[in-house]
Amino acid sequence: MTLTIVTLLPSLLNTNGDAENAAVLARRAGWAGLDARVVEVESRDDLPARVDAIVIGSGTDASLDAARTRLLELHDDLRRWGTEGVPILAVGTGWELLSWGIELPDGTGIEGLGILPGRAVPDVGGRIIGDLVVAERGSRELLVGFENHARAYVGAEGSPLGRVRSGAGNAKGSGQEGVVMGEVIGTHLHGPVLAKNPALADRILTTMAARAGLGYEPGEKTRVVDAYAESARRAHLTAAGVEVEPAASDARD
């Protein structure tokens, strides 16, 4: 069986390279001995027969209307995938388009698809840019990445991805980042987030494999690459002023 990871609208929603989260999943699956492929979907006609995970990247505000129009064609599919527990990772404006809606500075708005709770609203403090560190809810994992957004996200306080340790997250002073509903994740974390946070990628892959009746166990190549990722993560945490716990190998020395 081949696991199929769909990246939606990469021509419009890949400003920060976030569509490449799909490539991260496929590569890690391959290192674990699983067949996987990435399928770029620009319209519903491009959908493969089987979908095991969906990645939606971020785009510019100039692409919002066009992206929304194309995503509306997939509204029923997205809602069904979310209900069935297919992992969906949406970043930046891709996440905002799955929300209740986006409010623009001129008073107009864009209706979202209503897949995730909350809405994006203009941030009174201006654009939020900088390193972001998040303590993932229900986990000891620290997620790292870069945030760059002109809007705050409100109305999803009951289901965040995690608690902000450094940075702004959903809004300055909110203390929260992202939103999670079942296996659907929305986040401001760029990076791409799955390359910088291998543990999150592995949780998504574990869900994908289990739904397909397969097992997922990171391969030897994965561990080599993750050592580089961990070094970069620790540098990120240190720069952000977040205390870094000793690595397991350090604790044994």
Side-chain angles (χ1 to χ4, degrees):
M1 177 183 294
T2 299
L3 297 173
T4 300
I5 302 118
V6 164
T7 179
L8 290 183
L9 314 187
S11 67
L12 296 174
L13 300 176
N14 195 23
T15 300
N16 299 286
D18 300 301
E20 304 311 316
N21 282 303
V24 175
L25 291 173
R27 184 62 59 88
R28 294 180 74 86
W31 290 336
L34 301 175
D35 289 329
R37 63 171 181 154
V38 174
V39 175
E40 296 185 357
V41 171
E42 297 288 353
S43 71
R44 196 172 189 282
D45 292 339
D46 299 331
L47 276 181
R50 178 184 180 88
V51 175
D52 295 287
I54 300 97
V55 166
I56 308 174
S58 184
T60 65
D61 280 4
S63 69
L64 281 175
D65 284 327
R68 177 185 179 275
T69 297
R70 293 199 206 172
L71 286 175
L72 275 176
E73 299 176 4
L74 297 157
H75 177 271
D76 292 345
D77 301 286
L78 285 161
R79 189 167 292 280
R80 174 172 53 82
W81 291 327
T83 300
E84 293 176 351
V86 177
I88 300 175
L89 174 66
V91 182
T93 53
W95 161 30
E96 292 177 343
L97 286 166
L98 296 190
S99 75
W100 297 333
I102 302 170
E103 297 177 16
L104 301 175
D106 63 2
T108 62
I110 295 175
E111 185 177 359
L113 274 67
I115 305 297
L116 285 169
R119 67 176 59 251
V121 301
D123 192 291
V124 294
R127 178 171 289 275
I128 298 170
I129 302 175
D131 290 331
L132 179 60
V133 179
V134 179
E136 188 179 5
R137 188 174 66 163
S139 167
R140 296 184 61 188
E141 184 73 19
L142 290 177
L143 305 175
V144 304
F146 187 81
E147 59 181 335
N148 181 0
H149 50 105
R151 287 177 286 272
Y153 196 91
V154 299
E157 288 76 13
S159 53
L161 174 61
R163 177 172 55 86
V164 173
R165 292 284 301 276
S166 180
N170 288 351
K172 294 172 182 175
S174 72
Q176 296 183 334
E177 159 57 18
V179 62
V180 177
M181 177 170 285
E183 299 299 331
V184 186
I185 299 173
T187 183
H188 293 109
L189 286 163
H190 302 295
V193 61
L194 297 185
K196 285 194 170 184
N197 300 279
L200 179 58
D202 284 346
R203 283 195 289 279
I204 293 174
L205 282 162
T206 297
T207 299
M208 291 169 55
R211 293 189 73 258
L214 303 171
Y216 173 76
E217 185 67 33
E220 184 59 35
K221 178 66 172 179
T222 308
R223 286 185 280 273
V224 173
V225 171
D226 287 357
Y228 293 109
E230 182 58 24
S231 178
R233 284 169 47 79
R234 290 164 72 85
H236 187 126
L237 293 170
T238 299
V242 176
E243 184 177 352
V244 181
E245 294 184 3
S249 58
D250 296 338
R252 290 192 299 267
D253 292 341

